[in-house]
């Protein structure tokens, strides 16, 4: 089954710094998504990158995708304390009816 | 802005009891999902539901689990005989169409089995 795995598992930075999280997956994909989860809350979709895209931006978010290495990265620029959360990558199976999440990166941004 | 809602926010039950977790997906969405997250662990897929039937289920979704869309608005997850290891956050999600891969998640129900 497809599975995204993030690293690092935890990341602590100062406000204003950039945060980079990486995700690896195992099988071919049509797209890869990143979600955010505040502590104990539901997940919020951040950004989707298609397999034919190499880079995508949304506000302070930048996502890259390298299908040859089966990896993706999420960069949050100029981080804020409010960015403190867990970030997960997710991919669908071939049938497109099962979304599999990675283990997540817990990001802490210190004010 | 439309959102997915879930009730209750917290359910405490005794081992062996049946629980029903309820979700109201976004009204014009066609695809529905349940996930669970054991404390400190990753979000795990349980089941997907489309056109009034299960389209995919994981190994976790055994005979103790069932889903239903009884009235066109609610989407429920039933656990027939809860075990201690069923304690987790359960998230419902919905998705609009096949061409839109974004899923919208509810706030979750925390299930505690004693």
């Amino acid at each position: 089954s497809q599975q995204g795995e993030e690293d690092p598992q935890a990341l602590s930075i100062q406000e204003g710094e950039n945060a980079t999280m990486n995700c690896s997956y195992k099988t071919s994909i049509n797209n890869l998504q990143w979600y955010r989860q505040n502590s104990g809350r539901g997940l919020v979709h951040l950004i989707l990158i298609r397999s034919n895209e190499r880079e995508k931006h949304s506000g302070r978010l930048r996502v890259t995708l390298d299908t040859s290495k089966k990896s993706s990265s999420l960069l949050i620029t100029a981080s804020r304390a409010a960015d403190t959360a867990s970030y997960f990558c997710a991919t669908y199976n071939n049938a497109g009816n099962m979304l599999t999440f990675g283990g997540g990166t817990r990001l802490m941004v210190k004010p | 802005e439309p959102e997915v809602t879930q009730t209750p926010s917290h359910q405490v039950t005794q081992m062996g009891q049946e629980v029903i977790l309820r979700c109201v997906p976004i009204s014009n969405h066609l695809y529905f999902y349940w996930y669970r997250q054991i404390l400190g662990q990753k979000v795990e897929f349980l089941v997907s539901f489309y056109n009034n039937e299960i389209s995919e289920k994981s190994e976790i979704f055994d005979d103790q689990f069932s889903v239903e869309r009884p009235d066109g608005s609610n989407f429920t997850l039933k656990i027939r005989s809860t075990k201690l290891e069923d304690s987790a956050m359960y998230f419902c999600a919905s998705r609009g169409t096949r061409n839109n891969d974004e899923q919208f998640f509810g706030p979750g129900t925390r299930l505690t089995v004693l």
Side-chain angles (χ1 to χ4, degrees):
Chain A
S1 62
Q2 295 177 341
Q3 187 172 34
E5 295 296 339
E6 288 90 339
D7 77 86
Q9 291 186 341
L11 180 61
S12 181
I13 60 174
Q14 293 295 132
E15 211 165 26
E17 293 179 340
N18 296 342
T20 300
M21 290 158 269
N22 303 297
C23 165
S24 61
Y25 58 91
K26 294 181 180 177
T27 61
S28 62
I29 58 171
N30 291 323
N31 60 63
L32 184 143
Q33 304 179 54
W34 284 90
Y35 286 80
R36 165 192 166 129
Q37 183 183 34
N38 285 11
S39 179
R41 306 290 299 276
L43 290 93
V44 175
H45 182 267
L46 293 177
I47 194 166
L48 179 150
I49 186 165
R50 303 198 181 283
S51 59
N52 61 354
E53 297 176 308
R54 290 296 167 259
E55 188 171 309
K56 196 164 183 179
H57 297 255
S58 176
R60 292 184 296 114
L61 304 180
R62 178 185 148 218
V63 170
T64 63
L65 180 64
D66 187 336
T67 53
S68 67
K69 295 180 180 177
K70 291 188 169 56
S71 67
S72 174
S73 68
L74 171 68
L75 168 67
I76 304 174
T77 60
S79 63
R80 305 167 182 165
D83 294 329
T84 294
S86 290
Y87 293 82
F88 297 88
C89 67
T91 56
Y92 277 105
N93 63 346
N94 288 334
N97 53 17
M98 182 170 96
L99 190 63
T100 300
F101 287 85
T105 293
R106 293 187 309 279
L107 174 66
M108 174 172 289
V109 182
K110 299 175 185 175
Chain B
E1 186 172 331
E3 58 182 15
V4 177
T5 60
Q6 291 185 243
T7 54
S9 57
H10 190 188
Q11 173 91 46
V12 181
T13 189
Q14 294 291 325
M15 191 169 57
Q17 294 295 305
E18 174 184 289
V19 295
I20 297 176
L21 309 183
R22 291 183 167 78
C23 168
V24 179
I26 294 173
S27 64
N28 60 347
H29 281 190
L30 301 176
Y31 297 84
F32 313 110
Y33 306 85
W34 282 102
Y35 297 84
R36 80 170 187 191
Q37 185 179 34
I38 295 171
L39 186 63
Q41 298 187 23
K42 66 168 65 176
V43 177
E44 299 174 292
F45 170 85
L46 291 178
V47 66
S48 57
F49 192 85
Y50 168 72
N51 200 25
N52 284 321
E53 61 182 25
I54 291 173
S55 48
E56 185 77 52
K57 60 183 180 180
S58 71
E59 291 176 353
I60 303 168
F61 194 88
D62 61 21
D63 292 344
Q64 293 300 310
F65 291 85
S66 63
V67 289
E68 196 176 35
R69 188 159 161 81
D71 56 13
S73 63
N74 290 284
F75 180 51
T76 62
L77 174 70
K78 181 192 292 186
I79 309 175
R80 288 190 184 81
S81 178
T82 51
K83 308 182 188 75
L84 295 176
E85 54 265 36
D86 292 328
S87 294
M89 284 289 286
Y90 288 81
F91 294 104
C92 171
S94 68
R95 171 182 172 191
T97 67
R98 181 77 177 174
N99 293 330
N100 187 343
D101 286 339
E102 177 183 352
Q103 293 190 19
F104 293 80
F105 282 77
T109 292
R110 179 172 299 283
L111 176 65
T112 302
V113 182
L114 302 176

